[in-house]
Amino acid sequence: MSSKTPYKVLCVCLGNICRSPTAEVVLRHFCDKQQLNIMIDSAGTSNYHPGKAPDERSQKHALKRGYDLSALRARQLKPQDFIEFDLILAMDHENLSNIQALLDQAHVEYGASQIRSKIALMSEYDQTYLKQALPDPYYGGVEGFERVLDQCESSSLAWVSIFKNSFQNNSSNNRSM
Ligand code: 4NP
């Protein structure tokens, strides 16, 4: 990709300590592998865990696959994110409707011309988990954390394919995504 300005993607779940930090690091890994000029961040729709590191269980399971989540810190999704980010990825359908509600507020607050973000599910183009939720692992067992990693890897590969096609077919200033 020739653009110096990165395409910006924000991964969003409820707490920003389990699913979205995992999605952030896994998606970054696959984007970097393809040398895509994409900046990735994550946030939560809630403010349950501001400034906290990802859940120890998420960190442990991710590290077993080579993903280091330790430097991340939780933050809440804010209206300015819709100005800054090109794409906001919801981990489940409840996140999606909460993001949509905040986006509607941002439209009122900033005006449509300021809004940059499109919103979609993490699994939007994932043929294995098509439009399925990434189940919240917080109150469950170890298999939930492995499932999050499986889905993040699968959905990230699907997004990388979409990004590659989109960036190849469009000039840097006219991306279709
Ligand atoms: P996440 O998981 O949305 O994947 O970060 C959760 C983390 C914390 C809580 C719920 C879900 N909580 O209720 O504190």
Side-chain angles (χ1 to χ4, degrees):
M1 233 174 78
S2 58
S3 171
K4 286 187 180 143
T5 308
Y7 184 79
K8 292 186 178 177
V9 180
L10 185 65
C11 301
V12 175
C13 62
L14 174 63
N16 193 211
I17 57 168
C18 297
R19 292 167 293 173
S20 60
T22 305
E24 175 186 339
V25 169
V26 172
L27 184 58
R28 183 180 296 125
H29 167 78
F30 287 111
C31 286
D32 287 355
K33 212 168 155 186
Q34 295 295 324
Q35 298 183 302
L36 294 170
N37 184 18
I38 299 183
M39 183 277 230
I40 302 161
D41 193 6
S42 64
T45 56
S46 77
N47 205 25
Y48 293 163
H49 304 279
K52 274 213 199 139
D55 187 286
E56 292 288 341
R57 298 164 295 173
S58 293
Q59 290 200 51
K60 188 180 110 191
H61 286 270
L63 204 53
K64 280 200 286 182
R65 298 194 194 191
Y67 305 112
D68 183 358
L69 310 187
S70 62
L72 305 187
R73 295 295 177 267
R75 72 167 179 91
Q76 188 172 24
L77 179 67
K78 54 188 190 296
Q80 297 95 299
D81 288 322
F82 298 104
I83 295 173
E84 191 182 334
F85 287 89
D86 297 287
L87 179 65
I88 298 189
L89 296 178
M91 300 300 117
D92 67 26
H93 301 82
E94 191 183 353
N95 304 150
L96 189 68
S97 64
N98 289 331
I99 295 164
Q100 183 65 57
L102 199 62
L103 175 59
D104 293 344
Q105 280 179 36
H107 265 107
V108 174
E109 199 170 326
Y110 296 111
S113 63
Q114 295 286 316
I115 303 294
R116 188 183 186 96
S117 307
K118 291 185 174 166
I119 62 177
L121 284 168
M122 182 70 188
S123 60
E124 195 78 31
Y125 298 106
D126 183 342
Q127 295 308 310
T128 307
Y129 300 100
L130 192 63
K131 298 188 197 281
Q132 290 182 37
L134 243 104
D136 183 350
Y138 190 66
Y139 293 108
V142 292
E143 45 326 305
F145 291 88
E146 288 297 317
R147 170 80 186 247
V148 167
L149 282 155
D150 289 343
Q151 284 195 225
C152 282
E153 289 181 332
S154 179
S155 295
S156 293
L157 283 167
W159 275 111
V160 163
S161 165
I162 296 285
F163 295 147
K164 278 175 75 180
N165 285 332
S166 167
F167 296 161
Q168 266 161 16
N169 296 333
N170 290 277
S171 72
S172 57
N173 292 324
N174 187 28
R175 294 166 179 150
S176 65
M177 287 299 304

